[in-house]
Amino acid sequence: MKTAQEYMDSLRQMSGEIYFMGEKVENLVDNPHFRPHVNSAAMTYEVACDPEFEDLATATSHLTGKTINRFTHIHQSNLDLVKKVKLLRAIGQRTGTCFQRCVGWDALNATYSVTYEMDEKLGTKYHERFCEYLKHIQENDLMVVGGMTDPKGDRMLSPHQQADPDLFVHVVERREDGIVVRGAKAHQTGAANSHEILIMPTVNMRPEDADYAVCFAVNLETPGIMQIFGRQTNDERKMCEMDQGNRVFGIVGGETLVVFNDVFIPWYRVFMCGETQFSGMLVERFATYHRQNYGGCKCGVTDVLIGACASMAEYNGAARASHIKDKLVEMIHLAETLHTGSLACSYEGSQLPAGNYYPHTTYANVTKQNITRFIYEIGRLAHDLAGGFIGTLPSEKDLAHPVIGPVVDKYFKGVATFPTEHRIRMARLIENMTGGTAMVESMHGAGSPQAQRVMLLRDAKLEQRKGFARKICGIIDDEDQ
Ligand SMILES: Cc1cc2nc3c(=O)[nH]c(=O)nc-3n(C[C@H](O)[C@H](O)[C@H](O)COP(=O)(O)OP(=O)(O)OC[C@H]3O[C@@H](n4cnc5c(N)ncnc54)[C@H](O)[C@@H]3O)c2cc1C
């Protein structure tokens, strides 16, 4: 396993083509726009080397028998699924933001299961190839991006119908030694500071989309790959220590558009190529694994936010007011409801044909659907508790200024015994955790709300439910006899 320091050193040795604000980024690790995301991902390495977290953060590889970082593990039991959720919460409590590495972990588990079933049905050899790739990831403790979301162009058209054929990643050439791919993946969490990307299709496909039904892995330094790093709310604040709120770990994961300009992928890294009938299965597997997570990491992050709001109430002198306590209780209730959803889908998970374990689909979708609502409600309560100054605070430069600093210190004070600086720091943290980019991730990460509702309806067994109702109200028809 890599230490956090070794992870950072490995990034320093990488030479991927990454752009931000119109400029090529040469030293990502020491760049203030990237460093918080690097620190946050590094926590996934740090906890694995911490004896306190050994049980949660490490696992035994079912392929090699060696101890590995759990973020590279294929779940071997329901308990593994539960440990995943608890690990995500524990790291969320330490970073207060996204630590990025779950997406690739979910992609590994989804691809592991689907390649097995593809081989069983079609006689292909993808699973064996994938296991070799997995060993490479586990042995080198690499960070992998889960690359599913294509730019998608016109949402009503399938990949092959798009005016621009590159709006979904596709194969442009098949060679004896591999394939050449073109296109892009959008919103790729942690991609700038990852080693590898595992590409999966983003929609269910028909035979006409065969060139788009492609799953492969590639090192992010490979020629032809280019990344464009997205802006985040208030990202210029990363240049100031106090104003950014979460000075060490930043906001959300740091997402890039990853572009593939005719990139060569050798066959030994290709895990699906044209098998359109399995694209939907891969999308669903990845989505379910990923939706399972949200009552883990987001609860850990919410633990930090609840702590910030409780502290703010003390700084404001309002902590004993009954409505303040009630609002904190409401935040706790919402957070723990989310967590129970993630635990439930893990405990109720089942074994897939490949042998790995899979969360209960409905409960995982319910968890993510709740995230799209509860995180906003938690944010609303946090804004209520914090007070309006989280939206109007002057900068840390004003606080440090020889003339206006004492004025800021005087007029932004709450209870006399708490330093003004503490109140400002806590306000910035609440602002950071409840604004723009952080909230959008709760809505669209792991799929927009409608994507969960489609799966809830599909698995709803409505006919069975209608039968329950008919029986109870005394309607006996042919179906019930
Ligand atoms: C912070 C963040 C991190 C992310 N990280 C990753 C990552 O690491 N890897 C990854 O692969 N993806 C990632 N995503 C992408 C995420 O999965 C997508 O944002 C999500 O699936 C929604 O896709 P979209 O953004 O293209 O929105 P759209 O699909 O355009 O959705 C916008 C609206 O249009 C509706 N809509 C879309 N298509 C249709 C249709 N055909 N019919 C009817 N309604 C439709 C949707 O329901 C929604 O209401 C991330 C997203 C965010 C915001």
Side-chain angles (χ1 to χ4, degrees):
M1 294 187 297
K2 277 187 171 57
T3 63
Q5 188 57 52
E6 285 166 346
Y7 161 65
M8 290 206 202
D9 291 345
S10 71
L11 294 182
R12 285 183 199 284
Q13 276 149 32
M14 287 185 74
S15 56
E17 192 181 345
I18 302 170
Y19 293 87
F20 179 58
M21 302 272 288
E23 283 177 19
K24 191 157 181 249
V25 179
E26 298 299 344
N27 173 4
L28 173 136
V29 177
D30 299 314
N31 184 318
H33 287 286
F34 292 83
R35 185 55 185 252
H37 309 298
V38 172
N39 288 340
S40 196
M43 190 60 84
T44 68
Y45 289 90
E46 192 174 316
V47 291
C49 298
D50 182 343
E52 192 196 328
F53 288 98
E54 192 183 346
D55 184 47
L56 283 188
T58 68
T60 304
S61 167
H62 73 296
L63 295 178
T64 64
K66 292 184 188 167
T67 301
I68 52 170
N69 187 307
R70 188 174 287 279
F71 280 92
T72 67
H73 184 50
I74 299 297
H75 314 295
Q76 298 298 305
S77 63
N78 288 94
L79 192 57
D80 270 349
L81 293 173
V82 170
K83 285 184 182 176
K84 177 194 190 196
V85 172
K86 292 186 176 178
L87 173 63
L88 298 179
R89 185 166 187 170
I91 303 179
Q93 289 167 346
R94 277 152 190 81
T95 58
T97 188
C98 171
F99 34 92
Q100 312 143 36
R101 214 172 160 194
C102 66
V103 204
W105 189 8
D106 297 330
L108 291 173
N109 272 273
T111 309
Y112 181 86
S113 71
V114 173
T115 50
Y116 181 92
E117 285 169 64
M118 235 186 324
D119 288 359
E120 279 218 314
K121 179 131 192 247
L122 306 176
T124 45
K125 295 272 177 253
Y126 292 126
H127 190 65
E128 205 179 308
R129 263 183 212 173
F130 184 74
C131 287
E132 285 308 310
Y133 175 66
L134 184 62
K135 274 191 221 163
H136 166 67
I137 297 300
Q138 292 182 342
E139 298 276 299
N140 295 290
D141 201 358
L142 299 178
M143 177 157 161
V144 181
V145 191
M148 177 159 281
T149 310
D150 293 87
K152 296 186 295 207
D154 183 335
R155 268 65 177 155
M156 286 304 170
L157 300 179
S158 61
H160 79 280
Q161 293 171 325
Q162 298 289 332
D164 181 342
D166 300 340
L167 289 172
F168 287 77
V169 169
H170 62 122
V171 180
V172 289
E173 193 186 338
R174 285 176 168 77
R175 293 191 201 160
E176 237 176 56
D177 51 350
I179 55 175
V180 177
V181 296
R182 192 183 300 159
K185 291 286 181 182
H187 325 284
Q188 297 302 291
T189 297
N193 49 289
S194 289
H195 306 103
E196 295 266 327
I197 188 162
L198 176 51
I199 296 294
M200 302 158 285
T202 198
V203 289
N204 192 13
M205 290 180 191
R206 290 173 295 174
E208 308 87 90
D209 292 318
D211 287 343
Y212 295 86
V214 62
C215 172
F216 62 85
V218 63
N219 183 298
L220 282 157
E221 291 174 286
T222 305
I225 296 181
M226 182 177 83
Q227 299 190 50
I228 307 170
F229 192 65
R231 295 214 67 176
Q232 298 189 324
T233 313
N234 292 335
D235 57 8
E236 67 280 9
R237 301 248 196 109
K238 287 174 179 167
M239 309 310 285
C240 304
E241 191 258 319
M242 200 194 297
D243 288 357
Q244 60 184 294
N246 187 344
R247 68 195 169 87
V248 181
F249 303 109
I251 312 181
V252 200
E255 278 71 31
T256 61
L257 177 76
V258 183
V259 181
F260 297 84
N261 284 321
D262 293 355
V263 178
F264 173 73
I265 314 291
W267 282 117
Y268 60 87
R269 289 287 187 256
V270 179
F271 314 123
M272 176 189 283
C273 188
E275 293 80 3
T276 48
Q277 66 272 44
F278 282 88
S279 57
M281 182 191 279
L282 188 48
V283 173
E284 180 173 334
R285 291 274 164 87
F286 170 76
T288 302
Y289 278 119
H290 205 39
R291 289 169 195 168
Q292 173 205 9
N293 303 347
Y294 277 71
C297 59
K298 291 285 177 221
C299 288
V301 168
T302 301
D303 291 334
V304 176
L305 183 59
I306 292 169
C309 290
S311 305
M312 185 58 85
E314 286 171 7
Y315 299 163
N316 288 345
R320 273 170 295 154
S322 62
H323 83 99
I324 299 279
K325 285 187 207 155
D326 192 52
K327 282 165 186 162
L328 287 170
V329 169
E330 184 62 15
M331 291 171 88
I332 292 164
H333 168 71
L334 292 168
E336 299 303 345
T337 303
L338 294 170
H339 193 57
T340 50
S342 281
L343 289 178
C345 70
S346 307
Y347 281 115
E348 291 292 312
S350 54
Q351 195 171 20
L352 291 166
N356 58 332
Y357 276 70
Y358 184 57
H360 188 285
T361 311
T362 296
Y363 300 162
N365 278 285
V366 166
T367 304
K368 174 65 215 319
Q369 181 79 186
N370 282 340
I371 288 281
T372 67
R373 301 169 180 182
F374 294 2
I375 294 296
Y376 286 81
E377 179 61 8
I378 288 167
R380 187 184 72 80
L381 291 163
H383 287 179
D384 179 347
L385 294 179
F389 85 126
I390 64 163
T392 60
L393 263 174
S395 93
E396 69 176 75
K397 287 188 179 158
D398 296 319
L399 183 62
H401 191 275
V403 178
I404 56 172
V407 180
V408 173
D409 190 74
K410 175 181 166 77
Y411 288 111
F412 283 94
K413 195 161 202 74
V415 170
T417 47
F418 294 107
T420 303
E421 186 190 318
H422 291 192
R423 187 165 177 259
I424 291 177
R425 280 185 183 274
M426 206 57 85
R428 286 296 185 208
L429 177 62
I430 295 171
E431 183 199 17
N432 160 305
M433 296 181 78
T434 54
T437 318
M439 304 306 272
V440 175
E441 203 265 330
S442 295
M443 181 62 71
H444 289 289
S448 310
Q450 188 60 17
Q452 291 112 57
R453 300 180 82 80
V454 167
M455 283 175 76
L456 289 176
L457 182 62
R458 191 204 60 188
D459 295 343
K461 297 194 181 129
L462 271 188
E463 286 312 313
Q464 187 191 41
R465 285 172 156 152
K466 281 170 20 189
F468 295 149
R470 280 198 300 273
K471 207 165 183 180
I472 296 284
C473 73
I475 300 171
I476 314 271
D477 54 27
D478 292 347
E479 278 177 51
D480 299 322
Q481 280 167 7

